[in-house]
């Protein structure tokens, strides 16, 4: 339903930035914490962008669109990013020697369902209380 759709939409945005951040961090040999910080920042950036674009295309200004999404998206993305980074770290993806290492891909593959599972109940609650608005 709506919660699954909203969570998948959020996951798509987060996963794009998360993957780019992880790939950059691992490729540059950044520490796990720096890699996760970069992945989280890019996850927020791509997650917000994916939520804002449909609203802006419907005629909202960027500012109005951000005000519409801000609280709900911030909470949803934060929970998703925490679960994804926690999982990726513990599976070994963040500490992989390169993006060609199986651990990198295993970590990212495990992080995706972890992010979904953590964010789904949060999105259900946010939608039920009209804190998060559907953006599609």
């Amino acid at each position: 339903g709506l919660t699954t759709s909203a969570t998948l939409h959020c996951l798509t945005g987060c996963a794009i930035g998360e993957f780019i951040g992880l790939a950059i961090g691992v490729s540059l040999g950044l520490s796990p914490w720096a890699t996760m910080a970069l992945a989280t920042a890019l996850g927020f950036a791509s997650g917000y962008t994916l939520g804002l674009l449909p609203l802006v295309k419907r005629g909202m200004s960027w500012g109005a669109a951000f005000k519409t999404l801000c609280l709900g998206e911030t909470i949803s993305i934060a929970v998703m990013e925490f679960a994804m980074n926690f999982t990726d770290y513990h599976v070994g993806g963040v500490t992989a020697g390169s993006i060609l290492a199986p651990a990198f891909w295993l970590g990212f593959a495990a992080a995706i369902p972890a992010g979904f599972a953590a964010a789904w109940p949060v999105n259900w609650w946010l939608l039920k209380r009209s804190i998060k608005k559907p953006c599609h």
Side-chain angles (χ1 to χ4, degrees):
L2 182 58
T3 302
T4 300
S5 176
T7 306
L8 285 171
H9 190 264
C10 185
L11 182 64
T12 301
C14 288
I16 292 167
E18 181 80 13
F19 179 81
I20 293 168
L22 292 171
I24 291 170
V26 168
S27 295
L28 294 178
L30 300 179
S31 73
W33 289 103
T35 298
M36 290 186 293
L38 178 60
T40 299
L42 293 177
F44 266 92
S46 60
Y48 281 136
T49 300
L50 212 61
L52 292 171
L53 286 176
L55 299 178
V56 172
K57 283 183 181 177
R58 280 194 233 147
M60 264 191 194
S61 71
W62 285 97
F66 188 76
K67 283 180 188 172
T68 299
L69 294 179
C70 187
L71 181 60
E73 288 300 299
T74 300
I75 294 168
S76 179
I77 293 170
V79 168
M80 189 169 285
E81 284 295 324
F82 177 81
M84 290 176 76
N85 280 292
F86 180 87
T87 302
D88 201 4
Y89 179 84
H90 284 87
V91 171
V94 176
T95 56
S98 85
I99 63 168
L100 301 177
F104 176 85
W105 294 98
L106 185 60
F108 189 68
I112 298 289
F116 182 89
W120 193 95
V122 172
N123 281 322
W124 176 84
W125 186 85
L126 292 169
L127 288 162
K128 184 176 171 85
R129 290 180 174 52
S130 298
I131 296 168
K132 181 173 178 143
K133 312 271 190 275
C135 53
H136 348 253

